Short mmCIF file of all heavy atoms in Angstrom, two decimals:
data_model
loop_
_atom_site.label_atom_id
_atom_site.label_comp_id
_atom_site.label_asym_id
_atom_site.label_seq_id
_atom_site.Cartn_x
_atom_site.Cartn_y
_atom_site.Cartn_z
N VAL A 140 21.17 3.87 8.97
CA VAL A 140 22.42 4.57 9.24
C VAL A 140 23.08 5.01 7.93
O VAL A 140 23.56 6.14 7.80
CB VAL A 140 23.37 3.69 10.07
CG1 VAL A 140 24.76 4.30 10.15
CG2 VAL A 140 22.81 3.49 11.48
N PHE A 141 23.10 4.10 6.96
CA PHE A 141 23.72 4.43 5.67
C PHE A 141 22.99 5.59 4.99
O PHE A 141 23.62 6.55 4.53
CB PHE A 141 23.72 3.20 4.76
CG PHE A 141 24.11 3.48 3.35
CD1 PHE A 141 25.43 3.67 3.00
CD2 PHE A 141 23.14 3.58 2.35
CE1 PHE A 141 25.79 3.94 1.69
CE2 PHE A 141 23.49 3.85 1.04
CZ PHE A 141 24.82 4.03 0.71
N LEU A 142 21.68 5.51 4.92
CA LEU A 142 20.91 6.57 4.28
C LEU A 142 21.07 7.89 5.02
O LEU A 142 21.20 8.96 4.40
CB LEU A 142 19.42 6.18 4.22
CG LEU A 142 19.04 4.99 3.32
CD1 LEU A 142 17.56 4.69 3.43
CD2 LEU A 142 19.42 5.25 1.88
N SER A 143 21.06 7.84 6.35
CA SER A 143 21.20 9.08 7.13
C SER A 143 22.56 9.72 6.92
O SER A 143 22.67 10.96 6.79
CB SER A 143 20.97 8.78 8.62
OG SER A 143 19.69 8.22 8.84
N TYR A 144 23.60 8.90 6.86
CA TYR A 144 24.96 9.44 6.68
C TYR A 144 25.11 10.12 5.33
O TYR A 144 25.58 11.27 5.23
CB TYR A 144 25.98 8.32 6.84
CG TYR A 144 27.39 8.72 6.49
CD1 TYR A 144 28.12 9.57 7.33
CD2 TYR A 144 28.00 8.26 5.32
CE1 TYR A 144 29.42 9.95 7.00
CE2 TYR A 144 29.29 8.64 4.98
CZ TYR A 144 29.99 9.48 5.83
OH TYR A 144 31.27 9.85 5.51
N ARG A 145 24.69 9.43 4.27
CA ARG A 145 24.81 10.01 2.94
C ARG A 145 23.87 11.20 2.76
O ARG A 145 24.22 12.17 2.05
CB ARG A 145 24.53 8.94 1.87
CG ARG A 145 25.48 7.75 1.90
CD ARG A 145 26.87 8.14 1.45
NE ARG A 145 26.88 8.51 0.05
CZ ARG A 145 27.09 7.65 -0.96
NH1 ARG A 145 27.30 6.37 -0.68
NH2 ARG A 145 27.11 8.06 -2.20
N ALA A 146 22.70 11.14 3.36
CA ALA A 146 21.77 12.26 3.25
C ALA A 146 22.30 13.49 3.97
O ALA A 146 22.14 14.62 3.50
CB ALA A 146 20.41 11.87 3.83
N ALA A 147 22.96 13.29 5.11
CA ALA A 147 23.51 14.43 5.85
C ALA A 147 24.57 15.15 5.03
O ALA A 147 24.68 16.38 5.08
CB ALA A 147 24.08 13.94 7.18
N ILE A 148 25.36 14.41 4.25
CA ILE A 148 26.38 15.03 3.41
C ILE A 148 25.73 15.94 2.37
O ILE A 148 26.19 17.08 2.14
CB ILE A 148 27.23 13.94 2.72
CG1 ILE A 148 28.00 13.13 3.77
CG2 ILE A 148 28.19 14.55 1.71
CD1 ILE A 148 28.77 11.97 3.18
N ALA A 149 24.67 15.46 1.74
CA ALA A 149 24.02 16.26 0.70
C ALA A 149 23.26 17.44 1.28
O ALA A 149 23.36 18.57 0.77
CB ALA A 149 23.07 15.36 -0.10
N ILE A 150 22.51 17.22 2.35
CA ILE A 150 21.69 18.30 2.91
C ILE A 150 22.55 19.42 3.47
O ILE A 150 22.18 20.60 3.43
CB ILE A 150 20.74 17.72 3.98
CG1 ILE A 150 19.75 16.75 3.33
CG2 ILE A 150 19.98 18.83 4.69
CD1 ILE A 150 18.85 16.04 4.32
N SER A 151 23.74 19.07 3.97
CA SER A 151 24.62 20.11 4.54
C SER A 151 25.10 21.10 3.49
O SER A 151 25.45 22.23 3.83
CB SER A 151 25.82 19.45 5.23
OG SER A 151 26.61 18.74 4.28
N GLU A 152 25.13 20.71 2.23
CA GLU A 152 25.58 21.60 1.16
C GLU A 152 24.44 22.13 0.31
O GLU A 152 24.68 22.84 -0.67
CB GLU A 152 26.59 20.87 0.27
CG GLU A 152 27.83 20.38 1.02
CD GLU A 152 28.86 19.76 0.08
OE1 GLU A 152 28.84 20.12 -1.12
OE2 GLU A 152 29.65 18.93 0.54
N ASP A 153 23.22 21.79 0.67
CA ASP A 153 22.06 22.26 -0.08
C ASP A 153 21.79 23.73 0.26
O ASP A 153 21.61 24.09 1.43
CB ASP A 153 20.85 21.40 0.27
CG ASP A 153 19.63 21.75 -0.54
OD1 ASP A 153 19.75 22.51 -1.53
OD2 ASP A 153 18.53 21.27 -0.19
N GLU A 154 21.74 24.58 -0.77
CA GLU A 154 21.49 26.00 -0.56
C GLU A 154 20.00 26.31 -0.46
O GLU A 154 19.62 27.43 -0.10
CB GLU A 154 22.10 26.82 -1.70
CG GLU A 154 23.61 26.78 -1.74
CD GLU A 154 24.23 27.40 -0.49
OE1 GLU A 154 23.64 28.37 0.05
OE2 GLU A 154 25.28 26.91 -0.04
N GLY A 155 19.15 25.37 -0.79
CA GLY A 155 17.72 25.55 -0.64
C GLY A 155 17.21 24.83 0.59
O GLY A 155 17.97 24.19 1.32
N ASN A 156 15.90 24.93 0.83
CA ASN A 156 15.27 24.21 1.93
C ASN A 156 14.91 22.82 1.43
O ASN A 156 14.12 22.68 0.50
CB ASN A 156 14.04 24.95 2.43
CG ASN A 156 13.48 24.36 3.70
OD1 ASN A 156 13.24 23.16 3.79
ND2 ASN A 156 13.29 25.19 4.70
N PHE A 157 15.48 21.81 2.04
CA PHE A 157 15.30 20.44 1.56
C PHE A 157 13.84 20.01 1.58
O PHE A 157 13.42 19.19 0.76
CB PHE A 157 16.14 19.48 2.41
CG PHE A 157 16.05 18.04 1.98
CD1 PHE A 157 16.58 17.62 0.76
CD2 PHE A 157 15.43 17.11 2.79
CE1 PHE A 157 16.48 16.30 0.37
CE2 PHE A 157 15.34 15.78 2.40
CZ PHE A 157 15.87 15.38 1.18
N LEU A 158 13.04 20.55 2.48
CA LEU A 158 11.65 20.12 2.62
C LEU A 158 10.68 20.94 1.77
O LEU A 158 9.62 20.44 1.43
CB LEU A 158 11.22 20.19 4.09
CG LEU A 158 11.96 19.27 5.06
CD1 LEU A 158 11.46 19.49 6.47
CD2 LEU A 158 11.82 17.82 4.65
#
Side-chain angles (χ1 to χ4, degrees):
V140 170
F141 170 78
L142 293 177
S143 301
Y144 172 72
R145 299 291 293 270
I148 296 176
I150 295 176
S151 63
E152 300 185 25
D153 184 12
E154 293 297 326
N156 189 309
F157 181 68
L158 297 178

